[in-house]
Amino acid sequence: MDFRSLFTRKSKSSNIATQRLQLILTQDRFEVSEDSMKKLQFELTEVLAKYFEFTMNSVKMSLKREGNSYVLMADFPFNQSKKNR
Amino acid sequence: MGKVIVITSGKGGVGKTTSTANLGTALAMIGKTVVVVDADVGLRNLDVVMGLESRVVYTSMDVIEKRCDLDKALVKDRRVEDLMLLAASQRNRKDDIKPEQMQEVCEKLKEEYDFVLVDSPAGIEQGFRNAAAGADEAIIITTPDVSAIRDADRIIGLLQHQGIDSINLIINRLSPTLVKKGNMISKNDVLDILNIDLLGVVPEDTGVIASTNRGVPLVHNDGSPGAEAYIRIARRMTGQRVPIPEMRDDNFFSNILNWFSRNK
């Protein structure tokens, strides 16, 4: 591991740029507002939350180009299934 | 039968004209027959970047309006064999030309040349549509910054909509030092965001300024990092397998830091 990154990772402007771009392009490609994206994310999470445990702010969604079309990528990192508890 | 490749970006000032001049020259240097076409009607510059401005007599407008033959309108390059320029009219506007007319010119050119490189104007309006009309393939030029990448994404969408399947990316003006410092979006992040095939990376090279001043494309300047990158890209365009090298950071201290972290 690069020890410099321990101190600088959070504030690296390139990381901020990349994250902003992912969000901007998802909106550009989808032609939806940030609010609609958040709403979609919230509703999807609500459904999945019946089965899995989430930390809401760890959910990530983006639209990725695959050839001539787009794929909706959604990351829902969960702790464990509710059934197993 | 050759192919028509539109060189475009959406955003202005990212290096479309410089790239067209250098790739055209590099392709001719490795033995291909090439025409570079300036599609920036009203704001032409490819002639100046190539140092051919004093030789331009006719333009694509003259060909379209049948004032002269296509062959007669082509300006022969001063330095390389088999490299021609078709200039844009400076007195007309972009919507004076229709996409079908541009397409017809490109169709005729590719019958006789291996590569027809069309230098597109910035924007997504008529000028861009004309430039892309006759294209079989596209090369997207972007710099590693938020605005250029956003515009590149929009252009890729428009080209795909038009039915162009082969769309490749050139990342221009990448500074390994800034990437390492975390102040420039890296090659891999650009690729991850745009998700199209990478044709090459051109490092930031201040030699471009002097080369434009002189009207001599950078690829004539042996050994400069930009020239080497363009020559590699041109070879890839001819189907050769040329690996894309990882850009070396020229900063002495970060090289030392790198050496330490590699050896941990």
Side-chain angles (χ1 to χ4, degrees), chain A residues 13-14 28-29 64-65 67, chain B residues 150 153 160 182 192 194-195:
Chain A
S13 72
S14 59
D28 282 0
R29 290 164 179 172
K64 194 160 177 101
R65 174 179 289 112
Chain B
R150 183 190 198 181
D153 188 75
Q160 284 176 337
D192 190 47
L194 293 177
N195 206 24

